[in-house]
Amino acid sequence: MRKIDVWPLLSAEMQAVVRKSERLAAANPPPSDNGHPLPRMRAAYNEANVYWNAAPLEIEGVEDFAFDCGPATRNLRLYHPAPGEPRPWLVYLHGGGYVLGNLDTHDCIMRHLCKASGWGVLGLDYSLAPEARFPQQIEEVTGLIRRLDQASAGRDRDPSLIALAGDSAGAHLCVSTCLEMKAQGLSQPAVQLLFYGAYGLDDSVSQRLYGGALDGLTAAELAFYRSAYCRASQRRDPRYDVLNADLAGLPPSYLVTLTLDPLDDDSRALAQALTLAGVPNHLRREGAVLHGFLKHLRELQTARDVLDEAASILADLAQGVPPTWVNSMEKAKIQAEA
């Protein structure tokens, strides 16, 4: 199949974001790689996201601290909307193909979720591949959740609710973590918010039709991210190939995917697999934007709309109100059993 030219299919706002990103990249080229391309890739990725995080929402309390997550001590960042008042916490895992990104590159997303939901948002700067490889990242997230009471000491956390969220590679790590928590007999989060994740497909129609220079997800780039994160011999592990895992008992899941994203089929397959496993889920499918669009919420209304809907799920849960799609699925299950 030939790749589709997605440029004419993008919204005017998304086209403007792409042009702005290209101008910023041209004005701030990364240093020479000296034969080692990964430092250059990381420098370019970090620099590309400076502008998009340069007008942050004000949050009452923002704290950076280090914490022993088990396999490694990692940096955390807590966004608290009302210091002094216990709030439920959302653990957020950033995207970047497992090899890129940090707390700064996704600062705007975490701030928006905190402000719009009223939850505390805890960002984890997990170890990057290939220096650390599968399943260390999953072990770090699980270790953090196991020790969350210690991490939250004196930081105004309501321990009755916890949720997980992530974009791209971070979304994959959310599902993998829930599977690891299930294997360890740990209580599941109240919900997981999954934004345009990769869930184990090595090939698909969407991967053949989409992905290129505009979103940085060519076939070669996808293969690089996979190989950096997980060895070929480990790719049937259900914590990597989550579509072949036993998903029963996982938390209600809100999934966002994009019609022009090479990972679109991953999210659609996961939604179907969750439904077959009896897990309530809702799939929101956006058109006219590119993979990674949430980081551009400063100038992209679609990104703000998606994050607001995700935040409304958290706000309702804090009031004891589950999403309507959870209630409707449970009602359908009861009727089917009757």
Side-chain angles (χ1 to χ4, degrees):
M1 294 182 182
R2 294 181 62 185
K3 295 279 188 181
I4 291 175
D5 178 12
V6 300
W7 180 260
L9 306 177
L10 299 179
S11 68
E13 274 194 331
M14 189 74 241
Q15 290 181 345
V17 164
V18 171
R19 292 192 183 100
K20 173 67 71 66
S21 297
E22 290 173 345
R23 291 195 297 271
L24 291 170
N28 298 283
S32 171
D33 59 30
N34 294 317
H36 301 283
L38 196 51
R40 179 182 172 90
M41 286 176 61
R42 287 174 175 162
Y45 187 85
N46 294 346
E47 182 62 38
N49 285 290
V50 169
Y51 171 82
W52 301 109
N53 290 279
L57 285 175
E58 292 214 7
I59 304 297
E60 289 298 317
V62 179
E63 178 186 1
D64 288 337
F65 60 102
F67 187 72
D68 181 3
C69 295
T73 296
R74 303 305 305 163
N75 292 325
L76 305 176
R77 179 174 297 163
L78 174 63
Y79 304 82
H80 201 293
E85 299 180 18
R87 296 295 177 91
W89 282 13
L90 170 74
V91 175
Y92 193 88
L93 309 176
H94 68 78
Y98 317 98
V99 304
L100 307 170
N102 53 48
L103 299 175
D104 292 334
T105 60
H106 289 66
D107 179 74
C108 61
I109 296 175
M110 293 186 284
R111 285 176 180 270
H112 194 102
L113 286 170
C114 174
K115 191 83 168 181
S117 70
W119 284 46
V121 175
L122 184 67
L124 168 61
D125 191 19
Y126 56 83
S127 297
L128 296 178
E131 294 89 341
R133 307 189 79 177
F134 172 90
Q136 180 170 329
Q137 291 82 356
I138 300 166
E139 293 169 348
E140 289 176 3
V141 185
T142 307
L144 168 63
I145 293 174
R146 288 185 71 98
R147 300 168 174 83
L148 204 54
D149 287 342
Q150 300 171 30
S152 61
R155 295 187 174 91
D156 302 315
R157 172 176 168 250
D158 175 357
S160 64
L161 277 178
I162 181 176
L164 269 178
D167 65 285
S168 195
H172 186 196
L173 292 176
C174 286
V175 183
S176 301
T177 297
C178 288
L179 289 168
E180 181 66 18
M181 292 171 66
K182 175 182 172 181
Q184 294 187 22
L186 301 174
S187 298
Q188 290 289 315
V191 71
Q192 55 178 346
L193 310 175
L194 308 173
F195 305 110
Y196 42 81
Y199 302 113
L201 292 182
D202 292 327
D203 190 16
S204 69
V205 172
S206 62
Q207 287 184 34
R208 294 193 179 205
L209 289 179
Y210 305 109
L214 291 180
D215 57 20
L217 292 180
T218 64
E221 287 163 325
L222 285 172
F224 167 73
Y225 294 138
R226 293 189 191 106
S227 62
Y229 173 57
C230 187
R231 295 174 176 85
S233 61
Q234 297 174 298
R235 291 184 193 168
R236 295 283 71 87
D237 189 306
R239 293 170 299 175
Y240 176 82
D241 185 9
V242 301
L243 295 173
N244 279 324
D246 177 7
L247 300 174
L250 263 62
S253 303
Y254 171 80
L255 299 90
V256 173
T257 185
L258 316 174
T259 60
L260 306 180
D261 191 334
L263 302 181
D264 181 36
D265 285 341
D266 281 71
S267 288
R268 296 170 70 189
L270 179 59
Q272 184 176 10
L274 288 169
T275 299
L276 292 172
V279 177
N281 65 90
H282 175 72
L283 179 68
R284 175 170 178 160
R285 202 157 175 246
E286 287 291 334
V289 291
L290 293 172
H291 187 88
F293 77 103
L294 288 181
K295 298 195 304 296
H296 302 123
L297 64 92
R298 179 177 176 182
E299 296 182 10
L300 199 57
Q301 184 60 46
T302 305
R304 296 191 289 272
D305 291 343
V306 167
L307 290 173
D308 283 343
E309 182 173 71
S312 71
I313 294 171
L314 298 175
D316 287 346
L317 283 172
Q319 300 299 317
V321 180
T324 55
W325 41 270
V326 171
N327 290 331
S328 61
M329 185 166 181
E330 290 178 346
K331 182 178 179 181
K333 188 190 304 182
I334 292 170
Q335 291 173 340
E337 292 172 350

